[in-house]
Amino acid sequence: MIIQTKPAYQKIYDSIKEKIVEGTYVVGDILPSEAELEKMFNVSRTPVRNALKQLENDKLIHRVQGKGSFVSNQQPKQTWTSMSGFRNHYSNDWEKISVKTIEVKKVVNPHFAKLLKLEEETEIIYLKRIRYLNNQPMFFLEHYIRPVLSADIYQDNTTISSVQQLLKEKMDVDIVEVEDEIEAVIATPYIAGALQISDTAAVLKGTRISYAKNKEPMDLNIFYINTDNWKYYSYFKF
C-alpha cells in the first residue's frame, strides 16, 4: 500500500493559514523569515518560498522586498459568509469577526440522528457556538454533526470560522449542497442572554442541513440571528 503525504510546501502553507484564520497571526504581523521557516519545518528554501507564494496568491499575506511577509487585511472567501448574512462585513472587516465555541459534547438524540441519516442510537457531535462582529454577539449556533471527526478535534479548534472549514481541512470533505429553512421567532431567555438582547426581541431562526456528495448530511445547524444591525442576506454558489 502506498501512503501519500502532503508536499512540504503544503504543510507549511496549511500551518501558516491555520494560524492566520485562528488569530495567532493577526493583520499586520510579520511572519518568521524564510530562514526561520526552514528551521521550523526542517525543509529547504524552495518549499518555504512556494508556500509563501501561494499564501500571497490567496491574499493571506503580502510581501515587502527587504522587510518580510506580512498578514494581509483579508482572508480567502468561505462559503459560510455568503450563506449567513456576514458577506459584506466579512469582505471588508474580517478581522472584526470572531467565533467562540462554548460547548462541545457527544449526544444521543434519535431525532437529529435520523435527520443525519444515522441509526437512532448513534452518538453525534453537539456544538454550541457564538459568532461576533466587533465583539458583539450576532449569531447563536447549535450544531448536530455526523461523527466523522472526534469531539476532541472540535474542542481543540474552538475559534474555527466554520464547521465546513474544519471538515475540509481535517477530512477533505466538501459541502456541496445546503438546505435552509428561515423563520422569525421570539428569543428564549437563554438565546436573548447569549445575544445580549431583550427577552421579547424577535430573532431570525434558521435550520440548515449541509450535505457532502451523494446527499450525505454532515451538519444540522440551528442558528439565531440578531438582526438589529443588518438584514439576513443569502447567496451562494459552489
Side-chain angles (χ1 to χ4, degrees):
M1 181 177 65
I2 298 175
I3 300 175
Q4 295 182 340
T5 60
K6 288 183 181 180
Y9 87 89
Q10 187 67 52
K11 293 179 181 179
I12 301 168
Y13 171 91
D14 289 345
S15 176
I16 295 175
K17 176 185 174 182
E18 183 176 4
K19 287 181 171 60
I20 292 173
V21 170
E22 292 182 347
T24 303
Y25 296 140
V26 299
V27 175
D29 278 356
I30 185 170
L31 298 183
S33 68
E34 291 185 3
E36 289 171 329
L37 289 171
E38 286 181 55
K39 293 179 181 179
M40 289 169 59
F41 292 95
N42 193 26
V43 295
S44 66
R45 185 64 57 92
T46 298
V48 168
R49 288 180 172 172
N50 288 342
L52 293 175
K53 180 177 176 59
Q54 187 61 51
L55 288 163
E56 186 174 35
N57 290 342
D58 289 345
K59 302 187 186 303
L60 281 162
I61 67 170
H62 61 275
R63 292 190 283 179
V64 179
Q65 184 68 33
K67 293 186 177 181
S69 301
F70 298 84
V71 178
S72 296
N73 187 25
Q74 53 187 311
Q75 285 195 50
K77 292 183 178 179
Q78 298 286 344
T79 306
W80 66 265
T81 63
S82 55
M83 295 191 295
S84 66
F86 269 71
R87 185 169 185 261
N88 293 333
H89 296 291
Y90 182 85
S91 62
N92 297 315
D93 298 312
W94 72 266
E95 74 278 6
K96 298 177 182 178
I97 295 172
S98 59
V99 181
K100 182 180 180 181
T101 299
I102 57 178
E103 186 174 356
V104 180
K105 62 182 180 180
K106 294 185 288 186
V107 299
V108 175
N109 187 306
H111 172 67
F112 290 111
K114 185 176 180 180
L115 292 174
L116 291 169
K117 298 183 180 180
L118 299 168
E119 297 293 330
E120 291 186 356
E121 66 275 12
T122 302
E123 283 191 331
I124 55 182
I125 307 298
Y126 172 78
L127 304 184
K128 190 182 293 182
R129 311 170 78 226
I130 299 177
R131 184 168 290 141
Y132 301 84
L133 175 66
N134 288 322
N135 296 317
Q136 294 298 311
M138 306 309 294
F139 275 57
F140 177 86
L141 309 101
E142 293 180 290
H143 294 266
Y144 297 86
I145 309 169
R146 179 178 285 266
V148 295
L149 294 173
S150 72
D152 290 342
I153 291 178
Y154 293 101
Q155 190 68 63
D156 293 340
N157 292 270
T158 57
T159 59
I160 199 76
S161 64
S162 69
V163 169
Q164 177 179 346
Q165 179 184 344
L166 201 58
L167 290 170
K168 176 62 178 176
E169 290 184 357
K170 302 297 184 181
M171 291 292 294
D172 199 28
V173 172
D174 288 306
I175 298 301
V176 299
E177 187 175 346
V178 168
E179 291 181 4
D180 261 354
E181 180 181 277
I182 304 293
E183 59 182 321
V185 300
I186 300 299
T188 66
Y190 183 84
I191 300 298
L195 293 177
Q196 299 177 15
I197 56 179
S198 71
D199 289 356
T200 58
V203 293
L204 206 56
K205 176 185 177 182
T207 302
R208 171 176 299 150
I209 303 179
S210 301
Y211 299 92
K213 63 182 180 179
N214 300 323
K215 199 71 173 183
E216 183 178 46
M218 301 301 299
D219 174 27
L220 192 150
N221 174 211
I222 301 171
F223 55 92
Y224 300 86
I225 309 172
N226 176 359
T227 59
D228 286 347
N229 293 336
W230 76 77
K231 304 299 181 184
Y232 184 86
Y233 174 87
S234 181
Y235 171 83
F236 53 94
K237 181 179 179 181
F238 297 102

